[in-house]
Coordinates of all heavy atoms in Angstrom, one line a residue:
M1 N 0.8 -1.2 0.0 CA 0.0 0.0 0.0 C 0.9 1.3 0.0 O 0.6 2.2 -0.7 CB -0.9 0.0 1.2 CG -1.9 -1.1 1.2 SD -3.3 -0.6 0.2 CE -4.4 0.0 1.4
L2 N 1.9 1.2 0.8 CA 2.8 2.4 0.9 C 3.5 2.6 -0.4 O 3.7 3.8 -0.9 CB 3.8 2.2 2.0 CG 4.6 3.4 2.4 CD1 3.7 4.6 2.8 CD2 5.6 3.0 3.5
I3 N 3.9 1.6 -1.1 CA 4.6 1.7 -2.4 C 3.6 2.2 -3.4 O 4.0 3.1 -4.2 CB 5.2 0.3 -2.8 CG1 6.3 -0.1 -1.8 CG2 5.7 0.4 -4.2 CD1 6.8 -1.5 -2.0
M4 N 2.4 1.8 -3.4 CA 1.4 2.2 -4.4 C 1.1 3.7 -4.2 O 1.0 4.5 -5.2 CB 0.1 1.4 -4.3 CG -0.9 1.7 -5.4 SD -2.2 0.5 -5.5 CE -3.0 0.7 -3.9
D5 N 1.0 4.1 -3.0 CA 0.8 5.5 -2.7 C 2.0 6.4 -3.1 O 1.8 7.5 -3.6 CB 0.5 5.7 -1.2 CG -0.1 7.1 -0.9 OD1 -0.9 7.6 -1.7 OD2 0.2 7.6 0.2
A6 N 3.2 5.9 -2.9 CA 4.4 6.6 -3.3 C 4.4 6.8 -4.8 O 4.8 7.9 -5.3 CB 5.6 5.9 -2.8
I7 N 4.0 5.8 -5.5 CA 4.0 5.9 -7.0 C 3.0 6.9 -7.4 O 3.2 7.7 -8.3 CB 3.7 4.5 -7.6 CG1 4.9 3.5 -7.4 CG2 3.4 4.6 -9.1 CD1 4.6 2.1 -7.8
Y8 N 1.8 6.9 -6.8 CA 0.8 7.9 -7.2 C 1.3 9.3 -6.9 O 1.1 10.2 -7.7 CB -0.5 7.7 -6.4 CG -1.4 6.7 -6.9 CD1 -2.0 5.7 -6.1 CD2 -1.7 6.6 -8.3 CE1 -2.9 4.8 -6.6 CE2 -2.6 5.7 -8.8 CZ -3.1 4.7 -7.9 OH -4.0 3.8 -8.4
E9 N 2.0 9.5 -5.8 CA 2.5 10.8 -5.4 C 3.6 11.3 -6.4 O 3.6 12.5 -6.8 CB 3.0 10.9 -4.0 CG 1.9 10.6 -3.0 CD 0.7 11.6 -3.1 OE1 1.0 12.8 -3.4 OE2 -0.4 11.2 -2.9
I10 N 4.4 10.4 -6.8 CA 5.5 10.7 -7.7 C 4.9 11.1 -9.1 O 5.3 12.1 -9.7 CB 6.5 9.6 -7.9 CG1 7.3 9.5 -6.6 CG2 7.4 9.8 -9.1 CD1 8.2 8.2 -6.5
L11 N 3.9 10.3 -9.5 CA 3.2 10.7 -10.8 C 2.5 12.0 -10.7 O 2.4 12.7 -11.7 CB 2.3 9.5 -11.2 CG 2.9 8.3 -11.7 CD1 1.9 7.2 -11.9 CD2 3.7 8.5 -12.9
R12 N 1.9 12.3 -9.5 CA 1.2 13.6 -9.4 C 2.2 14.7 -9.5 O 1.9 15.8 -10.1 CB 0.5 13.7 -8.0 CG -0.8 12.9 -8.1 CD -1.5 13.1 -6.8 NE -2.7 12.3 -6.8 CZ -3.2 11.7 -5.7 NH1 -2.7 11.9 -4.5 NH2 -4.3 11.0 -5.8
I13 N 3.4 14.6 -8.9 CA 4.4 15.6 -8.9 C 4.9 15.8 -10.4 O 5.0 16.9 -10.8 CB 5.5 15.3 -8.0 CG1 5.1 15.4 -6.5 CG2 6.7 16.2 -8.2 CD1 6.0 14.9 -5.5
I14 N 5.1 14.7 -11.1 CA 5.6 14.8 -12.5 C 4.5 15.5 -13.3 O 4.8 16.3 -14.2 CB 5.9 13.4 -13.0 CG1 7.2 12.9 -12.3 CG2 6.2 13.4 -14.5 CD1 7.5 11.5 -12.6
G15 N 3.2 15.1 -13.1 CA 2.1 15.7 -13.9 C 2.0 17.2 -13.6 O 1.7 18.0 -14.5
A16 N 2.1 17.5 -12.3 CA 2.0 18.9 -11.9 C 3.1 19.8 -12.6 O 2.9 20.9 -13.0 CB 2.1 19.1 -10.4
I17 N 4.3 19.2 -12.6 CA 5.4 19.9 -13.3 C 5.2 20.1 -14.8 O 5.4 21.2 -15.3 CB 6.8 19.2 -13.0 CG1 7.2 19.3 -11.6 CG2 7.9 19.8 -14.0 CD1 8.3 18.5 -11.2
G18 N 4.6 19.0 -15.4 CA 4.3 19.1 -16.8 C 3.2 20.1 -17.1 O 3.2 20.9 -18.0
L19 N 2.2 20.2 -16.2 CA 1.1 21.1 -16.3 C 1.6 22.6 -16.1 O 1.1 23.5 -16.7 CB 0.0 20.8 -15.4 CG -1.4 21.4 -15.6 CD1 -1.9 21.1 -17.0 CD2 -2.4 21.0 -14.5
W20 N 2.5 22.7 -15.1 CA 3.0 24.0 -14.8 C 3.8 24.6 -16.0 O 3.8 25.8 -16.3 CB 3.9 23.9 -13.6 CG 4.5 25.2 -13.1 CD1 3.9 26.4 -13.1 CD2 5.8 25.3 -12.5 NE1 4.8 27.3 -12.5 CE2 5.9 26.7 -12.2 CE3 6.9 24.4 -12.2 CZ2 7.1 27.2 -11.6 CZ3 8.0 24.9 -11.6 CH2 8.1 26.3 -11.3
K21 N 4.5 23.7 -16.7 CA 5.2 24.1 -17.9 C 4.4 24.1 -19.2 O 4.9 24.2 -20.3 CB 6.4 23.2 -18.1 CG 7.5 23.3 -17.0 CD 8.7 22.5 -17.3 CE 9.7 22.8 -16.2 NZ 11.0 22.5 -16.7
N22 N 3.0 24.0 -19.0 CA 2.0 24.0 -20.0 C 2.2 23.0 -21.1 O 2.1 23.2 -22.3 CB 2.1 25.4 -20.7 CG 0.7 25.8 -21.2 OD1 -0.3 25.2 -20.9 ND2 0.7 26.9 -22.0
R23 N 2.5 21.8 -20.6 CA 2.6 20.6 -21.5 C 1.3 19.8 -21.5 O 0.7 19.6 -20.5 CB 3.8 19.7 -21.1 CG 5.1 20.5 -21.0 CD 5.7 20.7 -22.4 NE 7.0 21.2 -22.2 CZ 7.5 22.1 -23.1 NH1 6.8 22.5 -24.1 NH2 8.7 22.6 -22.9
M24 N 1.0 19.2 -22.7 CA -0.2 18.4 -22.8 C -0.1 17.1 -22.0 O -1.0 16.6 -21.5 CB -0.6 18.2 -24.2 CG -1.9 17.5 -24.4 SD -3.3 18.4 -23.7 CE -3.7 19.5 -25.0
W25 N 1.1 16.5 -22.0 CA 1.3 15.3 -21.3 C 1.1 15.4 -19.8 O 0.7 14.5 -19.1 CB 2.7 14.7 -21.6 CG 3.9 15.5 -21.2 CD1 4.6 16.3 -22.1 CD2 4.5 15.6 -20.0 NE1 5.6 17.0 -21.4 CE2 5.6 16.5 -20.1 CE3 4.3 15.0 -18.7 CZ2 6.4 16.9 -19.0 CZ3 5.1 15.4 -17.7 CH2 6.2 16.3 -17.8
G26 N 1.4 16.6 -19.3 CA 1.1 16.8 -17.8 C -0.4 16.8 -17.6 O -0.8 16.2 -16.6
L27 N -1.2 17.4 -18.5 CA -2.6 17.4 -18.3 C -3.1 15.9 -18.4 O -3.9 15.5 -17.6 CB -3.3 18.2 -19.4 CG -4.8 18.2 -19.4 CD1 -5.4 18.9 -18.2 CD2 -5.3 18.7 -20.7
A28 N -2.6 15.2 -19.4 CA -3.1 13.8 -19.6 C -2.7 13.0 -18.4 O -3.5 12.2 -17.9 CB -2.5 13.2 -20.8
L29 N -1.5 13.1 -17.9 CA -1.0 12.3 -16.7 C -1.9 12.6 -15.5 O -2.3 11.7 -14.8 CB 0.4 12.6 -16.5 CG 1.1 11.8 -15.4 CD1 1.1 10.3 -15.8 CD2 2.5 12.2 -15.2
L30 N -2.2 13.9 -15.2 CA -3.0 14.2 -14.1 C -4.4 13.8 -14.2 O -5.0 13.3 -13.2 CB -2.9 15.8 -13.8 CG -1.6 16.3 -13.2 CD1 -1.7 17.8 -13.2 CD2 -1.4 15.7 -11.9
V31 N -5.0 13.9 -15.4 CA -6.4 13.4 -15.5 C -6.4 11.9 -15.3 O -7.3 11.4 -14.6 CB -6.9 13.8 -16.9 CG1 -8.2 13.1 -17.2 CG2 -7.1 15.3 -17.0
I32 N -5.5 11.2 -15.9 CA -5.5 9.7 -15.8 C -5.2 9.3 -14.3 O -5.9 8.4 -13.8 CB -4.4 9.1 -16.7 CG1 -4.8 9.2 -18.1 CG2 -4.1 7.6 -16.3 CD1 -3.7 8.9 -19.1
N33 N -4.3 10.0 -13.6 CA -4.1 9.8 -12.2 C -5.3 10.0 -11.4 O -5.6 9.2 -10.5 CB -2.9 10.6 -11.8 CG -2.3 10.1 -10.5 OD1 -2.8 9.3 -9.8 ND2 -1.2 10.7 -10.1
C34 N -6.0 11.1 -11.6 CA -7.2 11.4 -10.8 C -8.3 10.4 -11.1 O -9.0 9.9 -10.1 CB -7.7 12.8 -11.2 SG -6.7 14.1 -10.5
V35 N -8.5 10.0 -12.3 CA -9.5 9.0 -12.6 C -9.2 7.6 -12.0 O -10.1 7.0 -11.4 CB -9.7 8.8 -14.1 CG1 -10.6 7.6 -14.5 CG2 -10.3 10.1 -14.7
I36 N -7.9 7.2 -12.0 CA -7.5 6.0 -11.4 C -7.7 6.0 -9.9 O -8.2 5.1 -9.2 CB -6.1 5.6 -11.8 CG1 -6.0 5.2 -13.2 CG2 -5.5 4.5 -10.9 CD1 -4.6 4.9 -13.8
T37 N -7.3 7.2 -9.3 CA -7.5 7.3 -7.9 C -9.0 7.2 -7.5 O -9.3 6.6 -6.5 CB -6.9 8.7 -7.4 OG1 -5.6 8.8 -7.7 CG2 -7.1 8.9 -5.9
L38 N -9.8 7.9 -8.2 CA -11.3 7.8 -7.9 C -11.8 6.4 -8.1 O -12.7 5.9 -7.3 CB -12.1 8.8 -8.8 CG -11.8 10.2 -8.5 CD1 -12.5 11.1 -9.5 CD2 -12.3 10.5 -7.1
A39 N -11.3 5.6 -9.1 CA -11.8 4.2 -9.3 C -11.3 3.3 -8.2 O -12.0 2.4 -7.7 CB -11.3 3.7 -10.7
V40 N -10.0 3.5 -7.8 CA -9.4 2.6 -6.8 C -9.9 3.0 -5.4 O -9.9 2.1 -4.5 CB -7.9 2.7 -6.8 CG1 -7.2 2.0 -5.7 CG2 -7.4 2.1 -8.2
M41 N -10.4 4.2 -5.2 CA -10.8 4.7 -3.9 C -11.9 3.8 -3.3 O -12.0 3.6 -2.1 CB -11.3 6.1 -4.0 CG -11.7 6.7 -2.6 SD -12.6 8.2 -2.8 CE -14.1 7.7 -3.4
M42 N -12.8 3.3 -4.2 CA -13.9 2.4 -3.7 C -13.4 1.2 -2.9 O -14.0 0.8 -2.0 CB -14.8 2.0 -4.8 CG -15.5 3.1 -5.5 SD -16.5 2.5 -6.8 CE -15.4 1.8 -7.9
F43 N -12.3 0.7 -3.3 CA -11.7 -0.5 -2.7 C -10.9 -0.2 -1.5 O -10.5 -1.2 -0.7 CB -11.0 -1.3 -3.7 CG -11.8 -1.7 -4.9 CD1 -11.5 -1.1 -6.2 CD2 -12.8 -2.6 -4.9 CE1 -12.3 -1.4 -7.3 CE2 -13.6 -2.9 -6.0 CZ -13.3 -2.2 -7.2
M44 N -10.4 1.0 -1.3 CA -9.5 1.4 -0.2 C -10.2 2.4 0.7 O -9.6 3.4 1.1 CB -8.2 2.0 -0.8 CG -7.6 1.2 -1.8 SD -6.7 -0.2 -1.1 CE -5.9 -0.8 -2.5
L45 N -11.5 2.2 1.0 CA -12.3 3.2 1.6 C -11.8 3.8 2.9 O -11.7 5.0 3.0 CB -13.7 2.7 1.8 CG -14.6 3.0 0.6 CD1 -16.0 2.5 0.8 CD2 -14.7 4.5 0.2
P46 N -11.4 3.1 3.9 CA -11.1 3.8 5.1 C -9.9 4.7 5.0 O -9.9 5.8 5.6 CB -10.7 2.6 6.1 CG -11.2 1.4 5.5 CD -11.3 1.6 4.0
M47 N -8.9 4.4 4.2 CA -7.7 5.2 4.1 C -7.7 6.2 3.0 O -7.1 7.3 3.1 CB -6.5 4.3 3.9 CG -6.2 3.3 5.0 SD -5.0 2.1 4.7 CE -5.8 1.0 3.6
W48 N -8.4 6.0 1.9 CA -8.3 6.9 0.8 C -9.5 7.8 0.6 O -9.7 8.3 -0.5 CB -8.1 6.0 -0.5 CG -6.7 5.4 -0.6 CD1 -5.9 5.1 0.4 CD2 -6.1 5.1 -1.9 NE1 -4.7 4.6 -0.2 CE2 -4.8 4.6 -1.5 CE3 -6.4 5.2 -3.2 CZ2 -3.9 4.2 -2.5 CZ3 -5.5 4.8 -4.1 CH2 -4.3 4.3 -3.8
V49 N -10.3 8.0 1.6 CA -11.5 8.8 1.4 C -11.1 10.3 1.1 O -11.5 10.9 0.1 CB -12.4 8.8 2.7 CG1 -13.5 9.8 2.6 CG2 -12.9 7.4 2.8
M50 N -10.2 10.8 1.9 CA -9.7 12.2 1.7 C -8.9 12.3 0.4 O -9.1 13.3 -0.4 CB -8.9 12.7 2.8 CG -9.7 13.0 4.1 SD -11.1 14.1 3.8 CE -10.2 15.6 3.4
D51 N -8.2 11.3 0.1 CA -7.4 11.3 -1.2 C -8.4 11.3 -2.4 O -8.1 12.0 -3.4 CB -6.5 10.1 -1.3 CG -5.4 10.2 -2.3 OD1 -5.1 11.3 -2.7 OD2 -5.0 9.2 -2.9
G52 N -9.4 10.6 -2.3 CA -10.4 10.5 -3.4 C -11.2 11.9 -3.5 O -11.4 12.3 -4.6
I53 N -11.5 12.5 -2.4 CA -12.2 13.8 -2.4 C -11.2 14.8 -3.1 O -11.7 15.6 -3.9 CB -12.6 14.2 -1.0 CG1 -13.7 13.3 -0.5 CG2 -13.0 15.7 -1.0 CD1 -14.0 13.5 1.0
F54 N -10.0 14.8 -2.6 CA -9.0 15.8 -3.2 C -8.8 15.5 -4.7 O -8.6 16.4 -5.5 CB -7.7 15.8 -2.5 CG -7.8 16.4 -1.1 CD1 -7.0 15.8 -0.1 CD2 -8.6 17.5 -0.9 CE1 -7.1 16.4 1.2 CE2 -8.6 18.0 0.4 CZ -7.9 17.5 1.4
A55 N -8.8 14.2 -5.1 CA -8.6 13.9 -6.5 C -9.8 14.3 -7.3 O -9.6 14.8 -8.5 CB -8.4 12.4 -6.7
G56 N -11.0 14.2 -6.8 CA -12.2 14.6 -7.5 C -12.2 16.1 -7.7 O -12.5 16.7 -8.8
V57 N -11.8 16.9 -6.6 CA -11.8 18.3 -6.7 C -10.7 18.8 -7.7 O -10.9 19.7 -8.5 CB -11.6 19.0 -5.3 CG1 -11.3 20.4 -5.4 CG2 -12.8 18.7 -4.5
A58 N -9.5 18.1 -7.6 CA -8.4 18.5 -8.5 C -8.8 18.2 -10.0 O -8.5 19.0 -10.9 CB -7.2 17.7 -8.2
L59 N -9.5 17.1 -10.2 CA -9.9 16.7 -11.6 C -10.9 17.8 -12.2 O -10.7 18.3 -13.3 CB -10.6 15.4 -11.6 CG -11.1 14.9 -13.0 CD1 -9.9 14.7 -13.9 CD2 -11.8 13.6 -12.8
V60 N -11.8 18.2 -11.3 CA -12.8 19.3 -11.8 C -12.0 20.6 -12.1 O -12.3 21.2 -13.1 CB -13.9 19.5 -10.7 CG1 -14.7 20.7 -11.0 CG2 -14.8 18.3 -10.6
L61 N -11.1 21.0 -11.2 CA -10.4 22.2 -11.4 C -9.5 22.2 -12.6 O -9.4 23.1 -13.4 CB -9.6 22.6 -10.2 CG -10.4 23.0 -8.9 CD1 -9.5 23.1 -7.7 CD2 -11.2 24.2 -9.2
I62 N -8.8 21.0 -12.8 CA -7.9 20.9 -14.0 C -8.7 21.0 -15.3 O -8.3 21.7 -16.2 CB -7.1 19.5 -13.9 CG1 -6.1 19.6 -12.8 CG2 -6.5 19.2 -15.2 CD1 -5.5 18.2 -12.4
L63 N -9.8 20.3 -15.3 CA -10.7 20.3 -16.6 C -11.3 21.6 -16.8 O -11.4 22.1 -17.9 CB -11.7 19.2 -16.5 CG -11.1 17.8 -16.6 CD1 -12.2 16.7 -16.5 CD2 -10.3 17.5 -17.9
M64 N -11.7 22.3 -15.7 CA -12.3 23.7 -15.9 C -11.2 24.6 -16.5 O -11.5 25.4 -17.4 CB -12.8 24.2 -14.5 CG -14.1 23.7 -14.1 SD -14.6 24.2 -12.5 CE -14.4 26.0 -12.5
Q65 N -10.0 24.6 -16.0 CA -9.0 25.4 -16.4 C -8.6 25.1 -17.9 O -8.4 26.0 -18.7 CB -7.7 25.3 -15.6 CG -6.6 26.1 -16.0 CD -6.9 27.6 -16.0 OE1 -7.7 28.1 -15.2 NE2 -6.2 28.4 -16.9
Y66 N -8.5 23.8 -18.2 CA -8.2 23.4 -19.6 C -9.3 23.9 -20.6 O -9.0 24.5 -21.6 CB -8.0 21.9 -19.7 CG -7.9 21.4 -21.1 CD1 -6.7 21.7 -21.8 CD2 -8.9 20.8 -21.8 CE1 -6.5 21.3 -23.1 CE2 -8.7 20.4 -23.1 CZ -7.5 20.6 -23.7 OH -7.4 20.2 -25.0
F67 N -10.5 23.6 -20.3 CA -11.6 24.0 -21.2 C -11.8 25.5 -21.3 O -12.2 26.1 -22.3 CB -12.9 23.3 -20.9 CG -12.8 21.8 -21.3 CD1 -12.9 20.8 -20.3 CD2 -12.6 21.5 -22.6 CE1 -12.9 19.5 -20.7 CE2 -12.6 20.1 -23.0 CZ -12.7 19.2 -22.0
N68 N -11.6 26.2 -20.2 CA -11.7 27.7 -20.2 C -10.6 28.2 -21.1 O -10.8 29.2 -21.8 CB -11.5 28.2 -18.7 CG -11.8 29.7 -18.7 OD1 -12.5 30.2 -19.5 ND2 -11.3 30.3 -17.6
R69 N -9.4 27.7 -21.0 CA -8.3 28.1 -21.8 C -8.6 27.9 -23.3 O -8.3 28.7 -24.2 CB -7.0 27.4 -21.4 CG -5.8 28.0 -22.1 CD -4.5 27.4 -21.7 NE -4.4 27.0 -20.3 CZ -3.7 26.0 -19.8 NH1 -3.0 25.3 -20.6 NH2 -3.6 25.8 -18.5
A70 N -9.2 26.7 -23.6 CA -9.5 26.4 -25.0 C -10.6 27.3 -25.6 O -10.5 27.8 -26.7 CB -10.0 24.9 -25.1
V71 N -11.6 27.7 -24.8 CA -12.6 28.6 -25.2 C -12.0 30.0 -25.4 O -12.3 30.7 -26.4 CB -13.8 28.6 -24.2 CG1 -14.7 29.8 -24.4 CG2 -14.5 27.3 -24.2
A72 N -11.1 30.4 -24.5 CA -10.5 31.7 -24.6 C -9.6 31.8 -25.9 O -9.6 32.8 -26.6 CB -9.7 32.0 -23.4
A73 N -8.9 30.7 -26.2 CA -8.1 30.7 -27.4 C -9.0 30.8 -28.7 O -8.6 31.4 -29.6 CB -7.3 29.4 -27.4
R74 N -10.1 30.1 -28.7 CA -11.0 30.2 -29.8 C -11.6 31.6 -30.0 O -11.7 32.1 -31.1 CB -12.2 29.2 -29.7 CG -11.8 27.8 -30.1 CD -13.0 26.9 -30.3 NE -12.8 25.8 -29.4 CZ -13.6 25.4 -28.4 NH1 -14.7 26.0 -28.1 NH2 -13.2 24.4 -27.6
R75 N -11.9 32.2 -28.9 CA -12.4 33.6 -29.0 C -11.3 34.5 -29.5 O -11.6 35.5 -30.3 CB -12.9 34.1 -27.6 CG -14.2 33.4 -27.2 CD -14.6 34.0 -25.8 NE -15.8 33.2 -25.4 CZ -16.2 33.2 -24.1 NH1 -15.5 33.9 -23.2 NH2 -17.2 32.5 -23.8
L76 N -10.1 34.3 -29.1 CA -9.0 35.2 -29.5 C -8.8 35.0 -31.0 O -8.5 35.9 -31.7 CB -7.7 34.8 -28.8 CG -6.5 35.7 -29.1 CD1 -6.7 37.1 -28.7 CD2 -5.3 35.1 -28.3
I77 N -8.9 33.8 -31.5 CA -8.7 33.5 -33.0 C -9.8 34.2 -33.7 O -9.6 34.7 -34.8 CB -8.7 32.0 -33.2 CG1 -7.4 31.4 -32.7 CG2 -8.8 31.7 -34.7 CD1 -7.3 29.9 -32.7
K78 N -11.1 34.2 -33.2 CA -12.2 34.8 -33.9 C -12.0 36.3 -34.0 O -12.4 37.0 -35.0 CB -13.5 34.5 -33.2 CG -14.0 33.1 -33.5 CD -15.3 32.9 -32.8 CE -15.8 31.5 -33.0 NZ -17.1 31.2 -32.3
I79 N -11.4 36.9 -33.0 CA -11.2 38.3 -32.9 C -10.2 38.8 -34.0 O -10.4 39.8 -34.7 CB -10.8 38.8 -31.5 CG1 -12.0 38.6 -30.6 CG2 -10.4 40.3 -31.5 CD1 -11.6 38.9 -29.1
R80 N -9.2 38.0 -34.1 CA -8.1 38.4 -35.1 C -8.6 38.0 -36.4 O -8.7 38.1 -37.4 CB -6.8 37.7 -34.7 CG -6.2 38.2 -33.5 CD -5.0 37.5 -33.2 NE -4.4 38.0 -31.9 CZ -3.3 37.7 -31.5 NH1 -2.5 36.8 -32.1 NH2 -2.8 38.2 -30.3

């Protein structure tokens, strides 16, 4: 369990660095990581409840930012 949690945390840090540098692989890695965390959370309920809640909130925020940026880029292209 501890090894699996360490792997998730390392992947989250790598994904966050990729997203911070505005890379698409960072976004994909974080979305995949959040979805896997939410799916696995059902089987690890006592320990992973807060981790699942944070992963769900992070997934919503990441996708809101991504789609907001895409809409803003389309509007900028229409203006020019």
Side-chain angles (χ1 to χ4, degrees):
M1 293 280 263
L2 187 61
I3 294 172
M4 188 168 62
D5 195 37
I7 291 171
Y8 278 135
E9 295 305 321
I10 290 170
L11 287 175
R12 282 186 185 146
I13 291 170
I14 292 170
I17 290 170
L19 194 61
W20 183 36
K21 293 186 177 204
N22 209 12
R23 305 282 187 214
M24 186 59 84
W25 59 264
L27 174 74
L29 186 62
L30 284 175
V31 168
I32 290 169
N33 196 350
C34 287
V35 169
I36 289 174
T37 301
L38 289 173
V40 172
M41 183 192 72
M42 294 183 298
F43 304 109
M44 311 282 187
L45 271 179
M47 295 172 285
W48 284 29
V49 172
M50 288 305 294
D51 194 29
I53 291 171
F54 289 143
V57 171
L59 180 63
V60 168
L61 291 174
I62 290 166
L63 292 177
M64 280 176 51
Q65 179 62 29
Y66 173 72
F67 287 116
N68 189 23
R69 190 181 318 153
V71 169
R74 276 192 239 124
R75 288 181 187 162
L76 183 64
I77 291 171
K78 285 182 182 179
I79 291 172
R80 291 183 181 183

